[in-house]
Each structure stands twice: as C-alpha cells, then as structure tokens.
Amino acid sequence: MDRILIRGGRGLTGNLPVSGSKNATLPILAAVLLVDGPVVLRNVPRLTDVETMLRILEQLGVATNWRPDGALELEVKDKTVYQAPYDLVRKMRASFVVLGPLWVRRGVAKVSYPGGCVFGHRPVDLHLKGMRDLGGDISFEGGNVIVAGRAKGGVTFLGGNYGSTVLGTANVVMAAVLAQGTTYIEYAALEPEVQDLCKFLNACGARIKGIGSHLLEIEGVDMLHGCEWSIIPDRIEAGTFLCGAIMTNSPVTVTGVEPMHLLAMLDRLRAAGANLEVGKDFIRNIPTASGRLKAVDITTMPHPGFPTDLQAQFMALMARAEGVSVITEKVYPERFIHASELQRLGARIRREGPSAIIEGTEELQGAPVMASDLRASASLVLAGLVARGDTNVHRVYHIDRGYEKIEKKLQCVGADIERIHETSPRASEVSEN
Ligand code: EPU
C-alpha cells in the first residue's frame, strides 16, 4: 500500500493546474448508456474512480478508448445487459447512478444496493422515490435494487432532511430524459456537476429546462445522439490547492478554475484574511505579512453553500489560524474522521454533535497519519505541508480516487513530497464517495 511522505515547512511557488471534475465525470459516464452513437469526452481526470466507472460501463456493453490526446471515446455496443456487477459497484457508491439510465434504456435495471460508508448513514431513498414517481416498479432481491415498468414521467420532489441530493437528481434526470412524457423535478440539486450533466444531455438532444435552478422541467425524447463534451474543472481540487497555497503563505496560482463555482469558499477565505486575486480562470494567492489567517466559522450546505467536500481541507487551514473556529457539517453530520488524525499532528479540535471546534495553533508537527476517505486524505496532505518534520500519510489509495497525480502537481510548485511504494497484501475496496 503506498504512502505519501511530506517534509513540511517549504514555501511553494508557481502554478497548480486543476483537472476535470471527478463528480461531473462520473454521472456523465453513466449517461453514455442513454446515447446512440459515439461520445467524446475531454478534460476527463485520470482517477481510479473514473477507471472503476469505465470497467462498469464495459461490463454493460460500452466500448471505451482513451485517445493519445487524452480524450475519452465511448460508445454503446451491446444493450442487452441490465445488471451492474456487484464486484465493481461495491467499490464506488457513485456507480449507483447507472440505475436510471439502465432502467429507461433497457427496460429493467438491477443494481447492487450501496452499503455502509465512513460518513455515516448514506441512504438512496430519494433516488428510488424519484424513479417510482416517474413510473418505476421498485423491488429488492439479493442485495440488489430492481427497477422495472415504463418510465412515463411525472412530478417528483427530491428534497431530503439536508436539502437536495446530487446523485439522486442525476439518476432521476437520466431516467426522465428518455421517459414517455414530461417530468418536473422539484428541489433538484443545483451543484455545478449536476448542471454539467444536464448540459451534456441537452447537447445529446435531451430537453431539460431550468438548469441551475431547483425546478427542472424535462420533456422526454425518443433517443439521444452522441456529442463531444468538455468536463468542467474540479472545484474541489481547486479549493484544496487554494488551501495549500494559503497555509504555506505562498505565491501560488491555481489555474484552469471556474471561480464562480467557488464563491462560498472564496467568501470564507477572504473573511479569514486571505489575499486573493481572482481572474476569469485562475485564483492567485498573494502572501500576507503575518502569514496567518483569522479563525472563521463555516457550515456546509448544498450548493451554493460551503461544500462538504472542502470541509476537511478547511479544517486543516483553521488548525493554524488565530482564534477559535466552529465547523458545522450539515450534509454529513458524521464526516469528521479526519479531525482525530489532524489532532495527531497537533491540531486542537473537539467535537460537539455535528460541529467541530478548532482552536488554532501556530505550529503543527509531523507524524504518521491514516487517511480514512478521499477528502480526509487531502486535509492530511495539506497539514503535512506546514507541519514541522515528516508526515507520512498512509492508505493513500483514497487520494488517488479523486486527485490526479497530487504529489507530482505539488512537487512542481516546490513541495517536498513523495509517494513511497510499499508492497501490501491488500488495499481496501470499500467506497466512500
Ligand atoms: N440523502 C438522502 N437520501 C438519498 C440521497 C441522499 O437522505 O436518497 C442525503 C445524504 O445522506 C446526505 C445528503 O442527502 O445527507 C446529500 O447527499 P447527496 O445525495 O447529495 O450525496 P451524493 O450525491 O451521494 C455527491 C458527491 C459527494 C458529495 C455529495 C454532497 C459524487 C460522486 N459524490 O454524493 O462527493 O460529498 O454529493 O455534495 O458526486 C467526494 O467527492 O469526496 C464526495 C463524497
């Protein structure tokens, strides 16, 4: 099992380029199941989660090919398979988004029910409610969800206890685009990744109105045709790099970003005293005299609120700020495993229900730490960049699921970071995202 070794305390300088968005790519890959004809995707990140989804699509009859120029070609060749293989599906929760496309395109879908998750309870009731409202007959058998019946369209409300659902919206939208009627989705998620999926589908001939709002109107069409599409930049990777630049008080420019996707993050960073120059497609950190931020509070919420996927990284940032900050997690109230690992580096953090209270300290010290999920690993790498001494982040296979060559990108701006390959009997196959 690989680990990442970081010798902290180095200043960084230069550009950190952002890859395509993982969370936009995964549902768009599932959407290929709906399309007749070839699809060409650009700006697809080379991540293990993307490779897992490609293996699932291949089992479902899709031909996939990475071109030498980095574009990804996909085309459905065989429409007979309607069951997503358990062995692959269990590796990644996001693979549940093949349910809607399989049902509407192949008449029936059988997909493994997602199991437990380190964030706590992660139900899929809203996905199923949406399909039922569109005409799906839902049943369960041997750990699988089966959706059958004719997709007729209809009215569905996808609001849950914490707001909308990202992949639930994606799943229902994909079923609705080929349904034999019109669908209204109220309380649809409006995350940029959901918008990218809807725009991709429209480029293939779907009729989705209201993109970017909570109310989507989808007129079903008979078929979708292929198209060429470029995936949006990864706002979470961009926000992670920004935290690294600010924590190390370094003149670093995060490039290839869409700043409009990061407004909540930028607002909190500025409130904490970060000096940022924002351009059309870049965000530059300008070092400050003190090099230390003021503590600020955040509460995670669905978009356009502060994203839960940047909560762990923001906690690493606040661990060294001046004062006390309160981080409240409203999307996944149990998503705090990273707090204990950050404490091993000297951070002062205590939990109170869905909140973490962080008392900033001037210095963190390197230590061996364990990554528990994708964003937790990113927060530990960030903390390692400023900790005194060596930090070894173990179980880095988590980070490879969502960050493309993170150590290489950070090396290019001067970080003392390396991946150490170690042979191991097994790497976990349990998914968090
Ligand atoms: N929820 C329900 N019922 C459902 C679905 C969700 O109650 O049927 C609840 C969840 O328990 C949670 C909230 O609704 O409290 C939001 O969950 P959501 O469904 O929006 O999450 P998701 O779609 O499964 C995606 C991202 C996650 C990201 C969340 C929230 C992908 C592949 N995953 O998950 O990304 O945290 O939205 O923004 O898009 C990550 O990239 O590290 C990651 C975990």
Side-chain angles (χ1 to χ4, degrees):
M1 219 179 295
D2 293 358
R3 66 188 152 92
I4 285 183
L5 166 63
I6 309 143
R7 295 181 189 90
R10 285 249 201 135
L12 310 179
T13 181
N15 292 344
L16 275 170
V18 169
S19 301
S21 161
K22 165 181 84 81
N23 290 349
T25 300
L26 296 175
I28 287 177
L29 287 177
V32 170
L33 291 165
L34 299 163
V35 176
D36 285 312
V39 170
V40 177
L41 299 178
R42 299 184 193 283
N43 207 27
V44 176
R46 300 298 291 255
L47 302 168
T48 51
D49 273 9
V50 169
E51 292 299 336
T52 301
M53 188 58 110
L54 292 180
R55 297 298 81 76
I56 292 169
L57 291 183
E58 284 161 4
Q59 301 259 348
L60 295 172
V62 180
T64 70
N65 175 40
W66 289 101
R67 290 201 325 215
D69 66 355
L72 178 61
E73 289 173 338
L74 305 117
E75 185 168 0
V76 177
K77 298 287 187 194
D78 174 4
K79 294 182 194 132
T80 56
V81 188
Y82 61 88
Q83 178 164 6
Y86 169 73
D87 276 354
L88 285 172
V89 170
R90 74 193 167 98
K91 288 189 180 175
M92 187 177 69
R93 294 183 67 85
S95 50
F96 197 65
V97 285
V98 300
L99 189 73
L102 280 183
W103 169 45
V104 76
R105 196 67 186 84
R106 301 187 181 180
V108 55
K110 189 171 179 183
V111 178
S112 172
Y113 197 92
C117 170
V118 289
F119 302 175
H121 187 45
R122 280 182 79 181
V124 288
D125 56 315
L126 297 170
H127 300 232
L128 302 183
K129 178 177 162 215
M131 310 236 178
R132 200 175 284 120
D133 290 339
L134 266 63
D137 299 326
I138 315 276
S139 56
F140 301 90
E141 183 194 281
N144 298 302
V145 179
I146 301 169
V147 189
R150 194 164 60 89
K152 300 190 285 271
V155 179
T156 190
F157 178 77
L158 291 189
N161 287 340
Y162 303 102
S164 47
T165 161
V166 173
L167 291 178
T169 302
N171 231 337
V172 179
V173 163
M174 288 191 276
V177 288
L178 290 182
Q180 289 166 356
T182 300
T183 299
Y184 294 89
I185 304 178
E186 181 57 293
Y187 221 147
L190 37 81
E191 268 67 6
E193 296 76 18
V194 175
Q195 296 186 39
D196 206 34
L197 168 71
C198 292
K199 290 176 188 166
F200 163 78
L201 289 166
N202 277 356
C204 295
R207 294 198 189 131
I208 307 172
K209 287 190 204 154
I211 298 173
S213 79
H214 280 307
L215 178 61
L216 296 177
E217 179 186 335
I218 304 166
E219 193 190 323
V221 295
D222 291 339
M223 63 164 290
L224 297 181
H225 53 76
C227 78
E228 290 207 16
W229 192 254
S230 186
I231 304 285
I232 54 169
D234 196 309
R235 63 191 168 109
I236 307 302
E237 187 192 23
T240 304
F241 287 161
L242 217 42
C243 286
I246 295 167
M247 283 172 84
T248 55
N249 198 31
S250 297
V252 164
T253 305
V254 183
T255 60
V257 294
E258 174 45 90
M260 288 300 285
H261 293 169
L262 278 160
L263 293 184
M265 176 80 170
L266 292 174
D267 178 74
R268 294 291 75 200
L269 291 174
R270 285 186 166 130
N275 191 5
L276 301 171
E277 182 191 341
V278 178
K280 189 170 162 289
D281 60 359
F282 70 86
I283 304 173
R284 181 170 297 137
N285 181 54
I286 298 158
T288 60
S290 80
R292 227 176 142 197
L293 295 187
K294 296 189 294 285
V296 291
D297 299 341
I298 59 161
T299 299
T300 67
M301 291 194 215
H303 193 75
F306 193 97
T308 173
D309 292 343
L310 283 170
Q311 181 257 105
Q313 301 88 318
F314 205 83
M315 190 179 286
L317 192 69
M318 288 295 105
R320 286 189 66 246
E322 262 182 87
V324 175
S325 67
V326 180
I327 294 186
T328 303
E329 179 53 75
K330 289 232 169 154
V331 181
Y332 298 114
E334 295 302 320
R335 194 180 193 179
F336 282 120
I337 298 183
H338 47 278
S340 321
E341 295 302 304
L342 287 170
Q343 277 173 312
R344 291 179 46 74
L345 299 173
R348 298 181 192 149
I349 304 169
R350 71 194 152 84
R351 277 284 306 280
E352 270 187 28
S355 298
I357 295 148
I358 300 116
E359 194 189 325
T361 172
E362 211 157 335
E363 192 178 273
L364 300 177
Q365 304 103 35
V369 283
M370 198 75 82
S372 55
D373 74 74
L374 168 55
R375 308 305 171 188
S377 352
S379 78
L380 296 172
V381 168
L382 293 177
L385 290 175
V386 291
R388 191 161 46 82
D390 292 0
T391 297
N392 276 288
V393 183
H394 293 271
R395 295 196 182 158
V396 293
Y397 53 84
H398 287 294
I399 214 162
D400 297 328
R401 301 185 51 198
Y403 291 87
E404 193 176 13
K405 301 192 190 96
I406 189 166
E407 75 279 12
K408 296 246 160 31
K409 287 187 183 182
L410 290 171
Q411 276 164 8
C412 287
V413 290
D416 191 342
I417 178 169
E418 64 181 303
R419 178 180 295 254
I420 300 185
H421 297 289
E422 286 173 345
T423 45
S424 145
R426 69 190 154 89
S428 167
E429 289 183 330
V430 178
S431 149
E432 287 75 37
N433 306 317

